[in-house]
Amino acid sequence: MTASLRPGMNVLDVACGTGDMARRLLSGTDGSIEFVLLDASRTMLEICADIPATRVLGCMTNLPFAENSFDLLTCTWGIETISETQSALSEFVRVTRSGGYIFLVYCADRPTRSLLGMAMRHHIALTGRGQFLSQEALCEQAAAARVKRMQPLYCNGPAAAMILHI
């Protein structure tokens, strides 16, 4: 993802959590990227205080931003924590500019044979921290939200990733 960053871009990290994705993306830039971190947890936003970004308390199904505000939107390990994935995808598309990208990483509903994958799946299910999403269903929802192209990325275990071209 860092290869696609350009000076002056506006980037939104939805469900930013502890800020790991933002730190990775910002480490590959000269600081000329406008970064916005959004999370439903004030505590998570406070953990991100070291990141040079605007921090916004909010929900991914009702983003408090104007249409076409961002060149890149990331949501890593967040969309599977809500039941309204279609609403979230529609909001992601609404705030992303034409020609922009949405980068998703999520827990995939697919078989895993690795011990780590099975442990992760069991832990997430046991603690109620999310659901396992079907890539096919997410692609159908993205198409309904008017995503131009879906680009699945290879991942091991229960993780899945895709780039949505707006």
PDB file of all heavy atoms in Angstrom, residues 58-90:
ATOM      1  N   GLY A  58     -15.998   7.910  15.934  1.00  0.00           N
ATOM      2  CA  GLY A  58     -17.140   7.698  15.055  1.00  0.00           C
ATOM      3  C   GLY A  58     -17.350   6.245  14.696  1.00  0.00           C
ATOM      4  O   GLY A  58     -16.564   5.371  15.054  1.00  0.00           O
ATOM      5  N   CYS A  59     -18.410   6.017  13.942  1.00  0.00           N
ATOM      6  CA  CYS A  59     -18.848   4.676  13.560  1.00  0.00           C
ATOM      7  C   CYS A  59     -18.680   4.486  12.063  1.00  0.00           C
ATOM      8  O   CYS A  59     -18.997   5.384  11.278  1.00  0.00           O
ATOM      9  CB  CYS A  59     -20.313   4.526  13.955  1.00  0.00           C
ATOM     10  SG  CYS A  59     -21.050   2.980  13.422  1.00  0.00           S
ATOM     11  N   MET A  60     -18.217   3.314  11.657  1.00  0.00           N
ATOM     12  CA  MET A  60     -17.957   3.074  10.237  1.00  0.00           C
ATOM     13  C   MET A  60     -19.216   2.971   9.393  1.00  0.00           C
ATOM     14  O   MET A  60     -19.148   3.048   8.174  1.00  0.00           O
ATOM     15  CB  MET A  60     -17.079   1.838  10.050  1.00  0.00           C
ATOM     16  CG  MET A  60     -17.717   0.529  10.356  1.00  0.00           C
ATOM     17  SD  MET A  60     -16.611  -0.869  10.044  1.00  0.00           S
ATOM     18  CE  MET A  60     -15.628  -0.884  11.527  1.00  0.00           C
ATOM     19  N   THR A  61     -20.381   2.828   9.996  1.00  0.00           N
ATOM     20  CA  THR A  61     -21.618   2.765   9.214  1.00  0.00           C
ATOM     21  C   THR A  61     -22.254   4.134   9.024  1.00  0.00           C
ATOM     22  O   THR A  61     -23.277   4.249   8.343  1.00  0.00           O
ATOM     23  CB  THR A  61     -22.643   1.813   9.869  1.00  0.00           C
ATOM     24  OG1 THR A  61     -22.926   2.276  11.188  1.00  0.00           O
ATOM     25  CG2 THR A  61     -22.127   0.382   9.892  1.00  0.00           C
ATOM     26  N   ASN A  62     -21.652   5.157   9.597  1.00  0.00           N
ATOM     27  CA  ASN A  62     -22.149   6.535   9.458  1.00  0.00           C
ATOM     28  C   ASN A  62     -20.954   7.475   9.567  1.00  0.00           C
ATOM     29  O   ASN A  62     -20.788   8.162  10.569  1.00  0.00           O
ATOM     30  CB  ASN A  62     -23.204   6.834  10.532  1.00  0.00           C
ATOM     31  CG  ASN A  62     -23.863   8.169  10.323  1.00  0.00           C
ATOM     32  OD1 ASN A  62     -23.831   8.727   9.231  1.00  0.00           O
ATOM     33  ND2 ASN A  62     -24.456   8.690  11.380  1.00  0.00           N
ATOM     34  N   LEU A  63     -20.112   7.491   8.549  1.00  0.00           N
ATOM     35  CA  LEU A  63     -18.869   8.262   8.595  1.00  0.00           C
ATOM     36  C   LEU A  63     -19.151   9.763   8.557  1.00  0.00           C
ATOM     37  O   LEU A  63     -19.922  10.224   7.704  1.00  0.00           O
ATOM     38  CB  LEU A  63     -17.964   7.867   7.416  1.00  0.00           C
ATOM     39  CG  LEU A  63     -17.482   6.419   7.419  1.00  0.00           C
ATOM     40  CD1 LEU A  63     -16.725   6.108   6.129  1.00  0.00           C
ATOM     41  CD2 LEU A  63     -16.608   6.140   8.633  1.00  0.00           C
ATOM     42  N   PRO A  64     -18.540  10.518   9.470  1.00  0.00           N
ATOM     43  CA  PRO A  64     -18.801  11.957   9.565  1.00  0.00           C
ATOM     44  C   PRO A  64     -17.946  12.787   8.593  1.00  0.00           C
ATOM     45  O   PRO A  64     -17.320  13.776   8.988  1.00  0.00           O
ATOM     46  CB  PRO A  64     -18.431  12.262  11.028  1.00  0.00           C
ATOM     47  CG  PRO A  64     -17.337  11.296  11.330  1.00  0.00           C
ATOM     48  CD  PRO A  64     -17.681  10.043  10.557  1.00  0.00           C
ATOM     49  N   PHE A  65     -17.915  12.379   7.319  1.00  0.00           N
ATOM     50  CA  PHE A  65     -17.111  13.067   6.315  1.00  0.00           C
ATOM     51  C   PHE A  65     -17.944  13.292   5.063  1.00  0.00           C
ATOM     52  O   PHE A  65     -18.869  12.537   4.772  1.00  0.00           O
ATOM     53  CB  PHE A  65     -15.870  12.229   5.956  1.00  0.00           C
ATOM     54  CG  PHE A  65     -15.055  11.823   7.138  1.00  0.00           C
ATOM     55  CD1 PHE A  65     -15.069  10.507   7.586  1.00  0.00           C
ATOM     56  CD2 PHE A  65     -14.288  12.749   7.825  1.00  0.00           C
ATOM     57  CE1 PHE A  65     -14.330  10.123   8.686  1.00  0.00           C
ATOM     58  CE2 PHE A  65     -13.550  12.369   8.938  1.00  0.00           C
ATOM     59  CZ  PHE A  65     -13.565  11.064   9.364  1.00  0.00           C
ATOM     60  N   ALA A  66     -17.572  14.307   4.309  1.00  0.00           N
ATOM     61  CA  ALA A  66     -18.253  14.604   3.046  1.00  0.00           C
ATOM     62  C   ALA A  66     -17.931  13.547   1.997  1.00  0.00           C
ATOM     63  O   ALA A  66     -16.925  12.842   2.105  1.00  0.00           O
ATOM     64  CB  ALA A  66     -17.814  15.989   2.551  1.00  0.00           C
ATOM     65  N   GLU A  67     -18.761  13.476   0.985  1.00  0.00           N
ATOM     66  CA  GLU A  67     -18.502  12.577  -0.142  1.00  0.00           C
ATOM     67  C   GLU A  67     -17.166  12.930  -0.789  1.00  0.00           C
ATOM     68  O   GLU A  67     -16.755  14.092  -0.796  1.00  0.00           O
ATOM     69  CB  GLU A  67     -19.615  12.701  -1.183  1.00  0.00           C
ATOM     70  CG  GLU A  67     -20.936  12.174  -0.714  1.00  0.00           C
ATOM     71  CD  GLU A  67     -22.028  12.287  -1.770  1.00  0.00           C
ATOM     72  OE1 GLU A  67     -21.722  12.574  -2.946  1.00  0.00           O
ATOM     73  OE2 GLU A  67     -23.192  12.093  -1.393  1.00  0.00           O
ATOM     74  N   ASN A  68     -16.493  11.916  -1.327  1.00  0.00           N
ATOM     75  CA  ASN A  68     -15.261  12.110  -2.098  1.00  0.00           C
ATOM     76  C   ASN A  68     -14.159  12.826  -1.311  1.00  0.00           C
ATOM     77  O   ASN A  68     -13.428  13.645  -1.868  1.00  0.00           O
ATOM     78  CB  ASN A  68     -15.562  12.881  -3.387  1.00  0.00           C
ATOM     79  CG  ASN A  68     -16.644  12.224  -4.201  1.00  0.00           C
ATOM     80  OD1 ASN A  68     -16.607  11.021  -4.435  1.00  0.00           O
ATOM     81  ND2 ASN A  68     -17.620  13.001  -4.625  1.00  0.00           N
ATOM     82  N   SER A  69     -14.005  12.510  -0.052  1.00  0.00           N
ATOM     83  CA  SER A  69     -13.027  13.185   0.806  1.00  0.00           C
ATOM     84  C   SER A  69     -11.643  12.545   0.812  1.00  0.00           C
ATOM     85  O   SER A  69     -10.664  13.210   1.122  1.00  0.00           O
ATOM     86  CB  SER A  69     -13.525  13.217   2.257  1.00  0.00           C
ATOM     87  OG  SER A  69     -14.687  13.991   2.371  1.00  0.00           O
ATOM     88  N   PHE A  70     -11.548  11.245   0.480  1.00  0.00           N
ATOM     89  CA  PHE A  70     -10.290  10.530   0.681  1.00  0.00           C
ATOM     90  C   PHE A  70      -9.825   9.821  -0.589  1.00  0.00           C
ATOM     91  O   PHE A  70     -10.625   9.306  -1.366  1.00  0.00           O
ATOM     92  CB  PHE A  70     -10.430   9.522   1.833  1.00  0.00           C
ATOM     93  CG  PHE A  70     -10.785  10.184   3.129  1.00  0.00           C
ATOM     94  CD1 PHE A  70     -12.096  10.255   3.559  1.00  0.00           C
ATOM     95  CD2 PHE A  70      -9.799  10.782   3.907  1.00  0.00           C
ATOM     96  CE1 PHE A  70     -12.431  10.901   4.738  1.00  0.00           C
ATOM     97  CE2 PHE A  70     -10.123  11.431   5.090  1.00  0.00           C
ATOM     98  CZ  PHE A  70     -11.442  11.490   5.502  1.00  0.00           C
ATOM     99  N   ASP A  71      -8.507   9.779  -0.747  1.00  0.00           N
ATOM    100  CA  ASP A  71      -7.888   9.058  -1.863  1.00  0.00           C
ATOM    101  C   ASP A  71      -7.711   7.583  -1.527  1.00  0.00           C
ATOM    102  O   ASP A  71      -7.712   6.736  -2.413  1.00  0.00           O
ATOM    103  CB  ASP A  71      -6.512   9.665  -2.180  1.00  0.00           C
ATOM    104  CG  ASP A  71      -6.621  11.133  -2.508  1.00  0.00           C
ATOM    105  OD1 ASP A  71      -7.219  11.456  -3.544  1.00  0.00           O
ATOM    106  OD2 ASP A  71      -6.103  11.967  -1.722  1.00  0.00           O
ATOM    107  N   LEU A  72      -7.510   7.296  -0.255  1.00  0.00           N
ATOM    108  CA  LEU A  72      -7.302   5.936   0.218  1.00  0.00           C
ATOM    109  C   LEU A  72      -8.018   5.777   1.550  1.00  0.00           C
ATOM    110  O   LEU A  72      -7.925   6.646   2.420  1.00  0.00           O
ATOM    111  CB  LEU A  72      -5.807   5.637   0.402  1.00  0.00           C
ATOM    112  CG  LEU A  72      -5.434   4.320   1.077  1.00  0.00           C
ATOM    113  CD1 LEU A  72      -5.845   3.128   0.223  1.00  0.00           C
ATOM    114  CD2 LEU A  72      -3.928   4.270   1.366  1.00  0.00           C
ATOM    115  N   LEU A  73      -8.751   4.678   1.683  1.00  0.00           N
ATOM    116  CA  LEU A  73      -9.400   4.324   2.939  1.00  0.00           C
ATOM    117  C   LEU A  73      -8.914   2.932   3.310  1.00  0.00           C
ATOM    118  O   LEU A  73      -8.909   2.031   2.466  1.00  0.00           O
ATOM    119  CB  LEU A  73     -10.919   4.338   2.766  1.00  0.00           C
ATOM    120  CG  LEU A  73     -11.759   4.034   4.014  1.00  0.00           C
ATOM    121  CD1 LEU A  73     -13.070   4.790   3.956  1.00  0.00           C
ATOM    122  CD2 LEU A  73     -12.003   2.550   4.211  1.00  0.00           C
ATOM    123  N   THR A  74      -8.465   2.763   4.539  1.00  0.00           N
ATOM    124  CA  THR A  74      -8.061   1.455   5.026  1.00  0.00           C
ATOM    125  C   THR A  74      -8.976   1.036   6.173  1.00  0.00           C
ATOM    126  O   THR A  74      -9.430   1.870   6.958  1.00  0.00           O
ATOM    127  CB  THR A  74      -6.599   1.438   5.530  1.00  0.00           C
ATOM    128  OG1 THR A  74      -6.480   2.303   6.660  1.00  0.00           O
ATOM    129  CG2 THR A  74      -5.633   1.885   4.443  1.00  0.00           C
ATOM    130  N   CYS A  75      -9.245  -0.238   6.239  1.00  0.00           N
ATOM    131  CA  CYS A  75      -9.992  -0.811   7.354  1.00  0.00           C
ATOM    132  C   CYS A  75      -9.410  -2.195   7.589  1.00  0.00           C
ATOM    133  O   CYS A  75      -9.693  -3.136   6.849  1.00  0.00           O
ATOM    134  CB  CYS A  75     -11.483  -0.878   7.042  1.00  0.00           C
ATOM    135  SG  CYS A  75     -12.467  -1.502   8.435  1.00  0.00           S
ATOM    136  N   THR A  76      -8.569  -2.295   8.590  1.00  0.00           N
ATOM    137  CA  THR A  76      -7.913  -3.567   8.885  1.00  0.00           C
ATOM    138  C   THR A  76      -8.438  -4.105  10.213  1.00  0.00           C
ATOM    139  O   THR A  76      -8.363  -3.436  11.225  1.00  0.00           O
ATOM    140  CB  THR A  76      -6.379  -3.412   8.937  1.00  0.00           C
ATOM    141  OG1 THR A  76      -6.032  -2.389   9.865  1.00  0.00           O
ATOM    142  CG2 THR A  76      -5.836  -3.022   7.575  1.00  0.00           C
ATOM    143  N   TRP A  77      -8.961  -5.307  10.145  1.00  0.00           N
ATOM    144  CA  TRP A  77      -9.503  -6.006  11.317  1.00  0.00           C
ATOM    145  C   TRP A  77     -10.622  -5.195  11.971  1.00  0.00           C
ATOM    146  O   TRP A  77     -10.710  -5.130  13.192  1.00  0.00           O
ATOM    147  CB  TRP A  77      -8.408  -6.327  12.328  1.00  0.00           C
ATOM    148  CG  TRP A  77      -7.264  -7.050  11.735  1.00  0.00           C
ATOM    149  CD1 TRP A  77      -5.982  -6.583  11.619  1.00  0.00           C
ATOM    150  CD2 TRP A  77      -7.248  -8.350  11.146  1.00  0.00           C
ATOM    151  NE1 TRP A  77      -5.199  -7.514  10.986  1.00  0.00           N
ATOM    152  CE2 TRP A  77      -5.954  -8.617  10.675  1.00  0.00           C
ATOM    153  CE3 TRP A  77      -8.220  -9.321  10.950  1.00  0.00           C
ATOM    154  CZ2 TRP A  77      -5.602  -9.808  10.049  1.00  0.00           C
ATOM    155  CZ3 TRP A  77      -7.876 -10.504  10.309  1.00  0.00           C
ATOM    156  CH2 TRP A  77      -6.574 -10.735   9.879  1.00  0.00           C
ATOM    157  N   GLY A  78     -11.474  -4.579  11.155  1.00  0.00           N
ATOM    158  CA  GLY A  78     -12.579  -3.808  11.713  1.00  0.00           C
ATOM    159  C   GLY A  78     -13.934  -4.194  11.167  1.00  0.00           C
ATOM    160  O   GLY A  78     -14.903  -4.297  11.917  1.00  0.00           O
ATOM    161  N   ILE A  79     -14.030  -4.418   9.858  1.00  0.00           N
ATOM    162  CA  ILE A  79     -15.348  -4.630   9.254  1.00  0.00           C
ATOM    163  C   ILE A  79     -16.021  -5.896   9.769  1.00  0.00           C
ATOM    164  O   ILE A  79     -17.249  -5.984   9.814  1.00  0.00           O
ATOM    165  CB  ILE A  79     -15.268  -4.596   7.707  1.00  0.00           C
ATOM    166  CG1 ILE A  79     -16.674  -4.387   7.142  1.00  0.00           C
ATOM    167  CG2 ILE A  79     -14.542  -5.813   7.156  1.00  0.00           C
ATOM    168  CD1 ILE A  79     -16.705  -3.948   5.702  1.00  0.00           C
ATOM    169  N   GLU A  80     -15.239  -6.862  10.198  1.00  0.00           N
ATOM    170  CA  GLU A  80     -15.844  -8.100  10.716  1.00  0.00           C
ATOM    171  C   GLU A  80     -16.407  -7.939  12.124  1.00  0.00           C
ATOM    172  O   GLU A  80     -17.043  -8.845  12.647  1.00  0.00           O
ATOM    173  CB  GLU A  80     -14.836  -9.263  10.673  1.00  0.00           C
ATOM    174  CG  GLU A  80     -13.713  -9.153  11.659  1.00  0.00           C
ATOM    175  CD  GLU A  80     -12.537  -8.319  11.133  1.00  0.00           C
ATOM    176  OE1 GLU A  80     -12.644  -7.665  10.105  1.00  0.00           O
ATOM    177  OE2 GLU A  80     -11.498  -8.333  11.816  1.00  0.00           O
ATOM    178  N   THR A  81     -16.199  -6.774  12.746  1.00  0.00           N
ATOM    179  CA  THR A  81     -16.705  -6.556  14.104  1.00  0.00           C
ATOM    180  C   THR A  81     -18.120  -6.003  14.123  1.00  0.00           C
ATOM    181  O   THR A  81     -18.690  -5.822  15.194  1.00  0.00           O
ATOM    182  CB  THR A  81     -15.789  -5.599  14.891  1.00  0.00           C
ATOM    183  OG1 THR A  81     -15.834  -4.305  14.285  1.00  0.00           O
ATOM    184  CG2 THR A  81     -14.363  -6.122  14.946  1.00  0.00           C
ATOM    185  N   ILE A  82     -18.679  -5.725  12.947  1.00  0.00           N
ATOM    186  CA  ILE A  82     -20.047  -5.196  12.884  1.00  0.00           C
ATOM    187  C   ILE A  82     -20.926  -6.133  12.068  1.00  0.00           C
ATOM    188  O   ILE A  82     -20.434  -6.921  11.261  1.00  0.00           O
ATOM    189  CB  ILE A  82     -20.077  -3.778  12.274  1.00  0.00           C
ATOM    190  CG1 ILE A  82     -19.577  -3.802  10.825  1.00  0.00           C
ATOM    191  CG2 ILE A  82     -19.265  -2.800  13.122  1.00  0.00           C
ATOM    192  CD1 ILE A  82     -19.852  -2.540  10.048  1.00  0.00           C
ATOM    193  N   SER A  83     -22.231  -6.025  12.247  1.00  0.00           N
ATOM    194  CA  SER A  83     -23.147  -6.863  11.470  1.00  0.00           C
ATOM    195  C   SER A  83     -23.604  -6.174  10.187  1.00  0.00           C
ATOM    196  O   SER A  83     -24.044  -6.831   9.262  1.00  0.00           O
ATOM    197  CB  SER A  83     -24.365  -7.254  12.322  1.00  0.00           C
ATOM    198  OG  SER A  83     -25.023  -6.095  12.769  1.00  0.00           O
ATOM    199  N   GLU A  84     -23.467  -4.859  10.102  1.00  0.00           N
ATOM    200  CA  GLU A  84     -23.948  -4.095   8.941  1.00  0.00           C
ATOM    201  C   GLU A  84     -22.816  -3.841   7.947  1.00  0.00           C
ATOM    202  O   GLU A  84     -22.496  -2.692   7.630  1.00  0.00           O
ATOM    203  CB  GLU A  84     -24.550  -2.750   9.367  1.00  0.00           C
ATOM    204  CG  GLU A  84     -25.580  -2.822  10.458  1.00  0.00           C
ATOM    205  CD  GLU A  84     -24.952  -2.720  11.844  1.00  0.00           C
ATOM    206  OE1 GLU A  84     -23.798  -2.305  11.980  1.00  0.00           O
ATOM    207  OE2 GLU A  84     -25.635  -3.087  12.800  1.00  0.00           O
ATOM    208  N   THR A  85     -22.218  -4.903   7.407  1.00  0.00           N
ATOM    209  CA  THR A  85     -21.083  -4.727   6.494  1.00  0.00           C
ATOM    210  C   THR A  85     -21.481  -3.982   5.220  1.00  0.00           C
ATOM    211  O   THR A  85     -20.695  -3.206   4.694  1.00  0.00           O
ATOM    212  CB  THR A  85     -20.431  -6.079   6.137  1.00  0.00           C
ATOM    213  OG1 THR A  85     -21.426  -6.960   5.620  1.00  0.00           O
ATOM    214  CG2 THR A  85     -19.775  -6.699   7.357  1.00  0.00           C
ATOM    215  N   GLN A  86     -22.698  -4.194   4.730  1.00  0.00           N
ATOM    216  CA  GLN A  86     -23.155  -3.484   3.520  1.00  0.00           C
ATOM    217  C   GLN A  86     -23.190  -1.978   3.776  1.00  0.00           C
ATOM    218  O   GLN A  86     -22.744  -1.195   2.938  1.00  0.00           O
ATOM    219  CB  GLN A  86     -24.534  -3.976   3.081  1.00  0.00           C
ATOM    220  CG  GLN A  86     -25.076  -3.247   1.853  1.00  0.00           C
ATOM    221  CD  GLN A  86     -24.285  -3.564   0.596  1.00  0.00           C
ATOM    222  OE1 GLN A  86     -24.246  -4.700   0.172  1.00  0.00           O
ATOM    223  NE2 GLN A  86     -23.669  -2.565  -0.006  1.00  0.00           N
ATOM    224  N   SER A  87     -23.691  -1.565   4.930  1.00  0.00           N
ATOM    225  CA  SER A  87     -23.735  -0.138   5.271  1.00  0.00           C
ATOM    226  C   SER A  87     -22.332   0.448   5.353  1.00  0.00           C
ATOM    227  O   SER A  87     -22.078   1.557   4.878  1.00  0.00           O
ATOM    228  CB  SER A  87     -24.451   0.084   6.607  1.00  0.00           C
ATOM    229  OG  SER A  87     -25.797  -0.290   6.501  1.00  0.00           O
ATOM    230  N   ALA A  88     -21.421  -0.299   5.958  1.00  0.00           N
ATOM    231  CA  ALA A  88     -20.043   0.176   6.076  1.00  0.00           C
ATOM    232  C   ALA A  88     -19.405   0.319   4.692  1.00  0.00           C
ATOM    233  O   ALA A  88     -18.792   1.343   4.390  1.00  0.00           O
ATOM    234  CB  ALA A  88     -19.218  -0.769   6.951  1.00  0.00           C
ATOM    235  N   LEU A  89     -19.565  -0.691   3.838  1.00  0.00           N
ATOM    236  CA  LEU A  89     -18.983  -0.612   2.495  1.00  0.00           C
ATOM    237  C   LEU A  89     -19.558   0.564   1.709  1.00  0.00           C
ATOM    238  O   LEU A  89     -18.826   1.268   1.002  1.00  0.00           O
ATOM    239  CB  LEU A  89     -19.193  -1.917   1.738  1.00  0.00           C
ATOM    240  CG  LEU A  89     -18.313  -3.080   2.179  1.00  0.00           C
ATOM    241  CD1 LEU A  89     -18.773  -4.369   1.530  1.00  0.00           C
ATOM    242  CD2 LEU A  89     -16.850  -2.815   1.874  1.00  0.00           C
ATOM    243  N   SER A  90     -20.854   0.790   1.829  1.00  0.00           N
ATOM    244  CA  SER A  90     -21.476   1.931   1.150  1.00  0.00           C
ATOM    245  C   SER A  90     -20.892   3.246   1.647  1.00  0.00           C
ATOM    246  O   SER A  90     -20.634   4.158   0.856  1.00  0.00           O
ATOM    247  CB  SER A  90     -22.992   1.914   1.352  1.00  0.00           C
ATOM    248  OG  SER A  90     -23.554   0.789   0.702  1.00  0.00           O
TER     249      SER A  90
END
